């Protein structure tokens, strides 16, 4: 999956917006204002096709043990103060290492659905009516 395919896949999801809330390099996709994927564009420009996704913590541990291309959190060479996410709930996924395009789409769906699942009752109703 190239960066345009990744963007298209994410932005077409119901209630999704794209922003740069942290810096000019980290593209964030949100569903109703809640992050479900971060994409470090500077890394993609250097052929490091990474994205950061939210996971169920238990499944995250299983995936980290099973895939070289999935690690906890999002640090990977950034400055020590660039800790955008909690490693318990968020994982960096390296596209094409041992994660196929199809599995990456499944992981994006999982992250998106997990965020929606955490919505308040009011937000779930608003989402339903989009």
């Amino acid at each position: 999956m190239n960066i345009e395919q990744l963007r298209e896949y994410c932005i077409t999801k119901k209630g999704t917006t794209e922003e740069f809330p942290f810096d000019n390099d980290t593209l964030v996709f949100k569903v109703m204002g809640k992050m479900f994927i971060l994409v470090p564009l500077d890394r993609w420009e250097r052929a490091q096709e990474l994205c950061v996704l939210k996971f169920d913590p238990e499944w995250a541990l299983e995936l980290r043990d099973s895939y070289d291309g999935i690690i906890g959190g999002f640090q990977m060479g950034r400055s020590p103060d660039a800790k955008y996410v909690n490693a318990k709930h968020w994982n960096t996924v390296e596209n094409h290492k041992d994660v196929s395009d199809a599995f990456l789409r499944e992981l994006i769906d999982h992250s998106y659905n997990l965020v929606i699942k955490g919505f308040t009752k009011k937000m779930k109703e608003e989402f339903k009516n989009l």
Side-chain angles (χ1 to χ4, degrees), residues 49-88:
E49 298 176 3
L50 308 175
C51 61
V52 183
L53 299 163
K54 189 168 188 172
F55 285 83
D56 169 84
E58 289 183 25
W59 195 42
L61 292 174
E62 290 177 35
L63 291 172
R64 291 178 203 165
D65 288 341
S66 301
Y67 291 87
D68 290 335
I70 300 177
I71 63 166
F74 177 50
Q75 189 55 32
M76 296 187 66
R78 296 212 179 255
S79 64
D81 62 340
K83 297 176 183 167
Y84 299 134
V85 296
N86 182 326
K88 179 178 179 182

Side-chain angles (χ1 to χ4, degrees), residues 54-124:
K54 189 168 188 172
F55 285 83
D56 169 84
E58 289 183 25
W59 195 42
L61 292 174
E62 290 177 35
L63 291 172
R64 291 178 203 165
D65 288 341
S66 301
Y67 291 87
D68 290 335
I70 300 177
I71 63 166
F74 177 50
Q75 189 55 32
M76 296 187 66
R78 296 212 179 255
S79 64
D81 62 340
K83 297 176 183 167
Y84 299 134
V85 296
N86 182 326
K88 179 178 179 182
H89 299 279
W90 293 83
N91 287 276
T92 297
V93 177
E94 190 173 349
N95 191 28
H96 298 130
K97 188 166 190 172
D98 58 351
V99 176
S100 68
D101 289 353
F103 190 46
L104 178 57
R105 284 190 289 276
E106 183 181 326
L107 297 174
I108 292 168
D109 292 346
H110 172 77
S111 182
Y112 176 82
N113 291 327
L114 193 60
V115 170
I116 292 168
K117 183 179 175 183
F119 282 173
T120 63
K121 187 175 182 179
K122 181 181 177 182
M123 288 179 73
K124 286 178 182 177

Side-chain angles (χ1 to χ4, degrees), residues 20-28 35 37-43 52 73-76 78-87 90 92:
F20 288 90
F22 302 113
D23 55 39
N24 292 330
D25 293 317
T26 309
L27 176 60
V28 175
M35 293 189 311
I37 183 172
L38 294 89
V39 183
L41 297 176
D42 56 332
R43 296 296 186 85
V52 183
F74 177 50
Q75 189 55 32
M76 296 187 66
R78 296 212 179 255
S79 64
D81 62 340
K83 297 176 183 167
Y84 299 134
V85 296
N86 182 326
W90 293 83
T92 297

